[in-house]
């Protein structure tokens, strides 16, 4: 199976870049399953329902979220009726939406997509390790599901690596989101799980993690409330990860970064 994961979509420039690139990437890489984190799609804060619809129309099979999940309140009723839009699994019981979704691919194969959120320097949520372990106990990779993709939305690389090693061999991919900077540690772990501690963002990298740099920089120089941050609106880089899995086991055979457009050095897998 060919899997594409794209990191946090930031603002209009990120949305437009993903809408343009995703259909082409699906074709060029023969993608079976595409997952996009869109927690910053709406002006850097949250996701509006019409933006989610546009990402599905562009070719996202599932959309994941993070700490900005509810910044656009309209998403709360929308998530209840949109199973392919998921929020972190370890939000407290009773929170609208679900933390995982079984996606049926065009050829009938099924893939589990799961979103969890770390706790270091973030909200005091339920334990992402224990909640993920409980959810994964319902599935067998390579048997009941052909692939399992986890978006682990977290700040600290240490928590991301510990999480990935905890589920090595049980899932196809653990990819980090939230820092908005693509890490260079993409690899297949010893048990066969593909991992990258952060996929990077789909946004303008002439910025401070996607936001307009003058306002974002001032916050560090002066202890003063700044203006509300706005996304940088230059050309976006589309950042993510391509993973090829073994159909018999569901484990990874190949993992490569994708970085297209904008200021970053370019990376495109050859299939
Ligand atoms: Fe983000
Ligand atoms: Fe985040």
């Amino acid at each position: 199976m060919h899997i594409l994961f794209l990191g946090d979509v930031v603002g209009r420039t990120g949305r437009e870049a993903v809408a343009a690139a995703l259909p082409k990437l699906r074709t060029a890489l023969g993608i079976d399953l595409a997952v996009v984190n869109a927690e910053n799609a709406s002006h850097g804060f949250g996701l509006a329902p019409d933006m989610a619809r546009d990402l599905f129309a562009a070719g996202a099979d599932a959309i994941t979220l993070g700490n900005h999940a509810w910044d656009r309140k309209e998403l709360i009723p929308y998530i209840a009726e949109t199973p392919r839009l998921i929020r972190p699994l370890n939000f407290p019981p009773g929170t609208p939406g679900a933390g995982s979704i079984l996606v049926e691919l065009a050829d009938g194969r099924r893939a589990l997509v799961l979103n969890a959120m770390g706790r270091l320097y973030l909200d005091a949520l339920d334990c992402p390790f224990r909640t993920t372990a409980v959810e994964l106990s319902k599935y067998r990779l390579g048997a009941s599901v052909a692939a399992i993709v986890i978006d682990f939305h977290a700040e600290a690389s240490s928590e991301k690596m510990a999480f990935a090693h905890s589920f090595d061999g049980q899932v196809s991919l653990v990819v980090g989101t939230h820092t908005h900077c693509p890490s260079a540690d993409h690899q297949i772990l010893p048990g066969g799980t593909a991992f990258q501690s952060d996929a990077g963002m789909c946004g303008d990298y002439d910025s401070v993690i996607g936001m307009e740099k003058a306002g974002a920089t001032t916050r560090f120089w002066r202890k003063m409330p700044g203006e509300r941050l706005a996304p940088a609106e230059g050309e976006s880089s589309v950042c993510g990860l391509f993973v090829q899995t073994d159909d018999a086991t569901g484990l990874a055979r190949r993992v490569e970064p994708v970085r297209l457009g904008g200021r970053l050095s370019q990376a495109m897998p050859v299939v």
Side-chain angles (χ1 to χ4, degrees), residues 39 67-68 153 178:
E39 68 147 7
N67 53 308
H68 289 291
H153 196 80
H178 176 73

Side-chain angles (χ1 to χ4, degrees), residues 1-4 32-35 61-62 100-105 107-114 136 138-150 169-174 192-194 243-253:
M1 187 182 299
H2 288 194
I3 299 166
L4 178 69
D32 300 297
L33 173 69
V35 180
D61 295 299
S100 68
I101 175 67
L102 265 183
V103 178
E104 181 142 348
L105 307 184
D107 59 10
R109 286 179 294 177
R110 297 193 312 166
L112 180 73
V113 180
L114 189 153
L136 290 180
K138 302 172 189 168
Y139 303 93
R140 277 279 306 281
L141 184 62
S144 62
V145 287
I148 300 176
V149 171
I150 301 182
Q170 285 186 67
V171 306
S172 312
L173 167 66
V174 173
T193 294
V243 177
Q244 185 177 343
T245 61
D246 183 310
D247 279 333
T249 63
L251 294 170
R253 272 186 183 162

Side-chain angles (χ1 to χ4, degrees), residues 9-11 15 37-49 51-52 55 64-75 228:
V9 178
V10 181
R15 297 198 309 271
N37 183 301
E39 68 147 7
N40 308 106
S42 176
H43 215 63
F45 299 94
L47 171 68
M51 298 168 187
L55 288 169
T64 55
L65 294 165
N67 53 308
H68 289 291
W70 310 134
D71 287 359
R72 289 291 303 265
K73 306 286 179 280
E74 312 93 297
L75 205 70
R228 185 175 160 88

Side-chain angles (χ1 to χ4, degrees), residues 214-226:
T217 303
T218 300
R219 292 183 168 211
F220 288 92
W221 280 88
R222 298 195 185 94
K223 183 58 190 157
M224 294 255 304

